[in-house]
Amino acid sequence: ERNTEKELSSDVLKNYDVLALFHPCDPRWEKTVSNGTPQFNGGEIKAIQDFVSQGGGLLVITEYEHEKYGDNLNELLKPFGLEIENTTVLDKQHCHHTNPAWVLAEASDQSMAEPLGFQIKEVCFYQAGSCKATGGKSQVIWRSSEKSSPPKSGLMAVGEFGKGRVVLLTDSLLFGD
């Protein structure tokens, strides 16, 4: 269900298993949010963090050059041990159709144990940003090559928090093509 009317509160979230945040963005860049603001207020951040802690799932999808979009996702993600960086990842050697913006990702050492990497041999990210796992029970599960710019950048990360789980993806077009 799409929520365009209500503030995210514990009351709103209690009926769901997963909250998906699809590239919240200031409308001057892209119109992706109905209420005009890509920022969550303090009460919403707390409600989302409590939701995950109690067993909810959180999917956060963002893009390259993250800071320009005007969201406060890093404030939301910090307790989960995840951070979005302000980058665009390019790779001239490990790319699709000789386009350095189509980055072919490498699985991290632990990603095959993750359900999100099960039996996946190759993933291509388009104009991806980067992310990092900063602590707690978080890890990067797909990254760029050591030849990319910036090298070995996190492209997808996961974190566990309380009884819940968070997935952070740095390419909003990954499932579009």
Side-chain angles (χ1 to χ4, degrees):
E1 281 182 44
R2 187 168 182 212
N3 175 23
T4 60
E5 308 279 321
K6 300 176 186 170
E7 183 174 300
L8 292 174
S9 65
S10 297
D11 223 29
V12 168
L13 294 171
K14 72 180 179 186
N15 298 314
Y16 300 96
D17 296 321
V18 177
L19 172 64
L21 304 176
F22 299 110
H23 181 41
C25 181
D26 185 301
R28 70 182 164 167
W29 294 103
E30 294 176 56
K31 191 168 179 141
T32 63
V33 290
S34 298
N35 65 0
T37 179
Q39 297 219 352
F40 299 98
N41 66 43
E44 289 178 307
I45 288 174
K46 181 173 180 353
I48 295 167
Q49 291 168 346
D50 289 348
F51 169 75
V52 174
S53 178
Q54 294 166 12
L58 176 62
L59 171 63
V60 177
I61 299 177
T62 186
E63 278 196 18
Y64 67 102
E65 297 176 355
H66 174 255
E67 289 176 8
K68 75 181 181 185
Y69 298 113
D71 63 55
N72 57 347
L73 290 174
N74 275 332
E75 181 182 348
L76 172 66
L77 293 169
K78 188 173 184 173
F80 305 131
L82 298 169
E83 181 181 337
I84 304 163
E85 299 177 302
N86 189 47
T87 57
T88 302
V89 179
L90 300 170
D91 195 327
K92 292 179 181 180
Q93 293 183 7
H94 297 93
C95 58
H96 184 63
H97 287 304
T98 67
N99 183 340
W102 286 86
V103 176
L104 295 174
E106 297 177 348
S108 72
D109 295 336
Q110 298 144 343
S111 71
M112 289 303 118
E114 293 292 332
L116 294 172
F118 183 69
Q119 294 187 343
I120 295 175
K121 305 265 189 258
E122 186 174 75
V123 178
C124 182
F125 288 76
Y126 173 66
Q127 286 190 322
S130 64
C131 63
K132 59 184 176 180
T134 59
K137 295 181 179 179
S138 64
Q139 68 181 38
V140 169
I141 62 170
W142 291 98
R143 67 172 180 252
S144 63
S145 78
E146 64 183 25
K147 301 287 185 181
S148 69
S149 175
K152 293 190 173 191
S153 298
L155 300 169
M156 184 176 185
V158 296
E160 292 179 358
F161 186 76
K163 296 177 184 175
R165 187 172 171 108
V166 179
V167 175
L168 172 58
L169 186 58
T170 64
D171 175 3
S172 71
L173 298 174
L174 185 64
F175 302 108
D177 293 340

